[in-house]
Amino acid sequence: MTVHLLEMEIQEYALDKIHCRKDIADHIAVCEACRMKAANYELMFSVIKEEPKHSFDFDLASLVVEQLPKPSSVSSSTNILLYVFIFCFAGAIAFVIYWFREYLEKMFKGILPIVIYLMLVIAISVLIFQCVEIYRRYKKQMKSLNSF
Amino acid sequence: MGNNLPDQLLVESILRGNANAFGQVIKNTEALVAQIVFKMISNNEDRKDISQDIYLKAFNKLRDFKFQSKLSTWIAQIAYNTCLSYLERKKLVLAGSLSQANDWDDENQVRSRGSVSKENVDAAIFIQRKELASIMHSAIDMLTPIHKTLITLYHHEELSYEEIGQITELPEGTLKSYLFRARKSLRENILAIYKREDL
Ligand SMILES: [Zn+2]
């Protein structure tokens, strides 16, 4: 009476015939029944690989992303920092003007009002231009961070 | 899997509040998640809800992800557990699929002898590739949800025992035992369909 391989041993052979135990390979070489069973398993494994893959028929990423909490806490804390900075900056300028008010008064006394206005307009224009440029650069950096 | 950016960069970006980066994570991992969800959940509407639930859970737990596995493996683990909870809630986990772990040992005790056993008659049937391809889907469908998933992860997704172990949180010995049983059941299903349809 022939002692056949265990089902587990046949699977072992079908999964990796090169590295499987020698006694299994030896039995398969001489036993038609076990060889056929192993061949069935091998065929089964290779057909499973060719099964079509499942995919969702809806846009899962969009569905999920729109449900995510908006990062409001991050932007509000950024905004608070920005306001604090502007407040400190304005305070520092006011302090400087107040401290040097006598010098400034003397400095501008001999100058025509039209020249003062002209200087003010130029200074404000340069300031606005710089601010716009900084904001544009910030937007660009945020965009590149969010691009993936 | 089309993962262009390393997991770490994506995770850091999401934690900084970048929702688009999470969209990228979904695109990178949804193929694997779909394999698990489709094998474990049969109802199409439930699949839609569960898949969203999986990613919302992943988003909320992202701070706990410590890069001990690939991000896709970690999300697949959430997918597997979410589907398992759903099946348990619906009482759809077949007790058989979990109690069969000991069959591994039982199999070791019984060697088929002689040439007249039923097993050997089955073995003598040599199925053609084309015939097998036409019945494979139905044969897989007859398996329990867990067996279907394990077969798919190992033979279709070609994941290692280690990766499947991380996804299912099963020890390697138990996992191998489940897979052995799943392959055996699949082969039996194929033979049953083959005989029934007399291909
Ligand atoms: Zn034999």
Side-chain angles (χ1 to χ4, degrees), chain A residues 69-81, chain B residues 14-18 59 63:
Chain A
K70 300 282 170 286
S72 55
S73 60
V74 173
S75 68
S76 71
S77 68
T78 312
N79 283 344
I80 289 168
L81 263 175
Chain B
I14 297 162
L15 294 178
R16 279 200 309 267
N18 182 357
F59 181 83
R63 273 179 205 283

Side-chain angles (χ1 to χ4, degrees), chain A residues 2-5 27 31-35, chain B residues 120:
Chain A
T2 319
V3 178
H4 287 289
L5 292 174
H27 179 89
C31 175
E32 168 99 48
C34 288
R35 190 163 55 241
Chain B
N120 291 322

Side-chain angles (χ1 to χ4, degrees), chain A residues 1-9 11 15 21 33 36-37 39-41 43-61 63-65 67-69 71 74 145-148, chain B residues 5 13 16-18 20-21 26 30 34-35 38-39 48 51-52 55-56 59 104 107-108 110-114 119-120 123-127 129 132-133 136-137 155-158 180 183-184 186-187 190:
Chain A
M1 202 180 269
T2 319
V3 178
H4 287 289
L5 292 174
L6 294 171
E7 186 90 11
M8 185 189 73
E9 291 167 333
Q11 282 193 14
L15 285 169
R21 277 186 0 238
M36 198 166 266
K37 213 166 167 181
N40 277 358
Y41 267 120
L43 183 65
M44 188 176 98
F45 300 153
S46 105
V47 170
I48 296 172
K49 279 195 188 93
E50 290 161 12
E51 276 278 286
K53 290 206 175 192
H54 297 290
S55 61
F56 296 116
D57 56 359
F58 49 89
D59 187 351
L60 181 57
L63 269 178
V64 173
V65 168
Q67 292 175 62
L68 297 181
V74 173
L145 263 175
N146 286 329
S147 62
F148 55 80
Chain B
L5 275 167
S13 185
R16 279 200 309 267
N18 182 357
N20 291 336
I26 297 174
E30 68 177 325
Q35 291 287 67
F38 271 82
K39 290 297 175 226
K48 195 170 179 178
S51 56
Q52 292 174 68
Y55 280 104
L56 291 172
F59 181 83
W104 178 261
E107 287 287 336
N108 281 325
V110 189
R111 278 188 185 268
S112 56
R113 290 177 181 275
E119 288 287 318
N120 291 322
I125 300 168
F126 195 85
I127 302 174
R129 188 179 194 89
L132 187 56
M136 183 57 86
H137 186 77
H155 290 284
H156 204 191
E157 290 295 313
E158 296 180 70
F180 160 74
R183 292 181 195 115
K184 188 168 183 274
L186 181 59
R187 185 173 170 277
I190 289 167

